[in-house]
Amino acid sequence: MRLLERIFDLAIIGGGVNGCGIARDAVGRGNTVFLCEMNDLASGTSSWSTKLVHGGLRYLEYYEFRLVREALIEREILWGVAPHIIRPLRFVLPHHAGLRPAWLLRLGLFLYDHIGGRHLLPATRSVDLTKDEVGRPLIPNRYSRAFEYSDCFVDDARLVVLNARDAADKGAEIRTRTRAAEIRQSDGVWTVSMVDTITGARSMIRARALVNAGGPWVEDVLGRGAGVNARAKVRLVQGSHIVVKKLYGHDRAYMFQNADGRIIFVIPYQDDFTLIGTTDRDYDGDPAKVKATPEEIQYLCTAASEYLAKPVTPDEVVWTYSGVRPLYDDGASEAKAATRDYVFELDTPGGAPLLSIYGGKITTYRRLAEEALERLAPYLRSAKAREGWTGKWPLPGGDMDVSAVDALIADLQRGYPFLSVEHARRLARAYGTRAIKLLGDAKSAADLGQSFGATLTEREVRYLLNNEWAVTAEDIVWRRSKLGLRLSADQIAALDDWIASHAVSQSPLLEAGGRS
């Protein structure tokens, strides 16, 4: 078993959005940082969200005003630092007699517009569904008015990877496929013993402070020898989504209210598809084995069909995904009412700090990271330096104006005229300005190497293997991209075969363009 000689300022267990966000912020403040993730980055809850950076309009009903305000402020901050993977999205909320009254919706949307420092996103407006194009997909003569408001769409898995990439670029050590098997401390220092989940090789590192960002496995991590009896409890809530072929032509999303008090979103997705979700139900079992159940699929189809003129049926579903949200157990009677706020538990057995994270949501991950480091400030060498920097410094590829994505697409087509519009758009939205480094000196499509289908080329695959910790075809087609929606099972298998037969080093250097 190899023991790294150095002692890190901070070690983090868990490579989801919270863990990677904390790693980025901590290393940017001058700390030495180590992060391990037992699977792929964002392979748990963080890649199974509804893909929204949003205030959480319905949380106002549960008086979660601080959480909503914080989330609303974060929308434009995150859009500003990652305009390639985050973009504004307008939501249409049809008024339904018998459910929430119009005055309540107006009040909620007034608060939504005014408590969160909205500057760039358009304000709420009233919509006449009998005249506006957003009324056409709905059941005729059933809904006459709606409210349209702003939130943002995010590529959740790429958000996680880009936080990890920036952390690594600043000196953090990010190790995936590495399970923290045991955590012990002595003399005020944590020792984390790890197992490589691919090779079985064992190693260990030492750190002065430890963050448990295990998500659904947060209590499991504590059980690996921390010497801590957790006071907080995690409540596992399953959220499932379905994807169908594109349901309508316009670019707005819908928020539909259901008779059971829950809401679902219907969202334009990946240009040619529509995303519908989510469900809320308590989950008891292995979080790694969660799957959308037939009952959940039917529930989402039925809920959408209450509003849409053309009913959605289970046989139209082209893909489902399901995740387990590790919410803080606040004793709420229903899963839908459980708080989405985050809770920290700081323990110092033997003097060395262990910070465990319960709950949270994609939208507030950056603020969560800041607050986590504030809690750990007494134990870190560089806790205060550059405080708040993550809201100003762009994530990799995001060094452009929020309105510049279309210009970048045009630049890619001018610089690489062999790219189709679809290919250039996908690269710009995934990699931002780093798409130019990925493409490098290519003069023709042939220079990009083997084509795996759906605009995925050998050069991009090598980039992902070398720079974004991808190891398998699944990592590439479902987390680094959503090309699994367009590739056949045989094409995905061929990609796995290619990866297995090409010994690609896990180097942090770009194929073309030096340091990433």
Side-chain angles (χ1 to χ4, degrees):
M1 183 179 287
R2 185 170 61 89
L3 176 63
L4 299 182
E5 291 302 316
R6 68 193 294 194
I7 299 178
F8 290 92
D9 293 322
L10 182 65
I12 301 163
I13 298 172
V17 73
N18 291 336
C20 292
I22 292 170
R24 179 190 185 224
D25 197 348
V27 73
R29 298 187 193 206
N31 297 287
T32 55
V33 176
F34 178 92
L35 180 147
C36 64
E37 160 58 45
M38 63 181 176
N39 297 310
D40 183 26
L41 296 173
S43 57
T45 307
S46 293
S47 61
W48 306 130
S49 77
T50 313
K51 323 298 181 195
L52 299 179
V53 170
H54 67 135
L57 180 60
R58 70 187 182 89
Y59 304 149
L60 291 173
E61 291 185 289
Y62 301 106
Y63 308 108
E64 300 256 22
F65 296 113
R66 187 204 62 77
L67 173 64
V68 173
R69 183 174 186 275
E70 184 174 281
L72 289 171
I73 292 170
E74 284 298 298
R75 289 180 311 181
E76 293 194 9
I77 292 175
L78 295 181
W79 180 25
V81 299
H84 48 324
I85 61 167
I86 296 175
R87 61 183 184 273
L89 186 60
R90 294 287 280 173
F91 286 80
V92 177
L93 172 54
H95 178 241
H96 189 307
L99 295 181
R100 295 166 179 86
W103 69 264
L104 182 62
L105 297 177
R106 275 198 301 269
L107 174 61
L109 288 166
F110 177 83
L111 290 172
Y112 212 67
D113 271 353
H114 291 93
I115 68 172
R118 179 185 57 82
H119 299 294
L120 299 176
L121 294 170
T124 298
R125 72 179 183 106
S126 294
V127 179
D128 183 345
L129 293 175
T130 65
K131 296 177 181 176
D132 196 287
E133 66 172 338
V134 298
R136 288 180 202 145
L138 304 179
I139 296 172
N141 305 318
R142 182 178 289 186
Y143 309 101
S144 60
R145 64 187 301 206
F147 302 98
E148 186 177 290
Y149 67 95
S150 293
D151 268 321
C152 291
F153 176 89
V154 61
D155 187 328
D156 52 6
R158 291 208 59 72
L159 180 68
V160 176
V161 169
L162 294 182
N163 271 275
R165 181 67 267 161
D166 201 39
D169 288 347
K170 290 174 169 57
E173 182 170 343
I174 309 291
R175 204 182 291 181
T176 64
R177 265 76 182 192
T178 302
R179 180 178 180 271
E182 186 178 53
I183 51 178
R184 300 279 182 192
Q185 68 155 301
S186 62
D187 300 324
V189 174
W190 285 102
T191 298
V192 183
S193 302
M194 300 168 294
V195 179
D196 186 308
T197 58
I198 297 176
T199 66
R202 292 182 172 272
S203 60
M204 53 171 43
I205 61 101
R206 294 184 294 166
R208 296 181 180 87
L210 184 62
V211 168
N212 174 8
W217 293 272
V218 62
E219 292 179 356
D220 181 50
V221 170
L222 290 175
R224 296 175 194 171
V228 171
N229 292 316
R231 296 177 298 278
K233 293 294 180 185
V234 69
R235 179 173 187 169
L236 301 182
V237 173
Q238 179 175 356
S240 295
H241 299 75
I242 59 175
V243 174
V244 298
K245 290 290 179 65
K246 192 173 183 176
L247 293 177
Y248 49 84
H250 64 74
D251 62 354
R252 264 63 57 84
Y254 292 96
M255 177 181 177
F256 292 155
Q257 305 176 77
N258 302 328
D260 61 4
R262 289 191 277 180
I263 59 98
I264 65 161
F265 294 105
V266 177
I267 302 170
Y269 190 57
Q270 297 292 317
D271 296 324
D272 300 316
F273 301 91
T274 300
L275 172 65
I276 303 173
T278 180
T279 59
D280 270 316
R281 53 187 261 168
D282 286 309
Y283 182 76
D284 182 18
D286 183 351
K289 295 180 179 176
V290 63
K291 282 184 169 43
T293 66
E295 293 78 18
E296 287 180 300
I297 294 169
Q298 184 61 62
Y299 172 84
L300 293 172
C301 288
T302 301
S305 300
E306 279 291 311
Y307 288 82
L308 297 172
K310 183 181 180 298
V312 180
T313 58
D315 62 331
E316 297 175 82
V317 174
V318 298
W319 183 49
T320 70
Y321 66 87
S322 191
V324 174
R325 282 164 282 187
L327 305 182
Y328 173 69
D329 190 353
D330 61 357
S333 58
E334 295 180 278
K336 69 177 183 180
T339 182
R340 266 56 177 174
D341 209 346
Y342 50 84
V343 173
F344 297 119
E345 193 165 274
L346 180 62
D347 292 282
T348 54
L354 167 60
L355 186 73
S356 297
I357 301 169
Y358 296 79
K361 58 204 291 280
I362 288 272
T363 307
T364 52
Y365 88 90
R366 195 194 66 83
R367 275 295 300 128
L368 180 151
E370 288 183 335
E371 192 170 329
L373 292 174
E374 288 165 15
R375 296 288 184 94
L376 291 170
Y379 309 95
L380 296 176
R381 292 185 302 171
S382 304
K384 292 295 184 184
R386 302 185 67 198
E387 192 169 358
W389 73 274
T390 56
K392 301 164 191 166
W393 188 273
L395 282 166
D399 49 337
M400 57 183 165
D401 188 79
V402 294
S403 61
V405 177
D406 287 342
L408 175 61
I409 295 169
D411 286 347
L412 290 178
Q413 287 194 279
R414 275 193 297 272
Y416 304 92
F418 52 87
L419 293 179
S420 66
V421 179
E422 293 78 10
H423 196 175
R425 183 188 301 121
R426 186 180 69 78
L427 293 178
R429 286 181 176 176
Y431 304 102
T433 57
R434 291 200 175 187
I436 297 168
K437 293 184 177 181
L438 184 156
L439 292 164
D441 58 359
K443 298 291 190 294
S444 67
D447 289 339
L448 300 181
Q450 182 174 334
S451 172
F452 297 99
T455 73
L456 181 66
T457 65
E458 179 180 333
R459 182 168 296 205
E460 184 177 0
V461 169
R462 287 184 182 276
Y463 176 93
L464 292 171
L465 296 172
N466 288 339
N467 298 279
E468 293 195 1
W469 298 276
V471 174
T472 68
E474 180 185 354
D475 299 346
I476 291 170
V477 306
W478 290 119
R479 283 183 285 279
R480 306 306 182 278
S481 73
K482 288 296 180 286
L483 292 176
L485 287 167
R486 304 177 187 279
L487 294 169
S488 69
D490 287 345
Q491 287 174 311
I492 295 172
L495 175 58
D496 254 331
D497 290 342
W498 185 92
I499 292 171
S501 63
H502 289 72
V504 184
S505 69
Q506 298 297 305
S507 159
L509 297 180
L510 286 162
E511 285 290 302
R515 289 292 301 178
S516 66

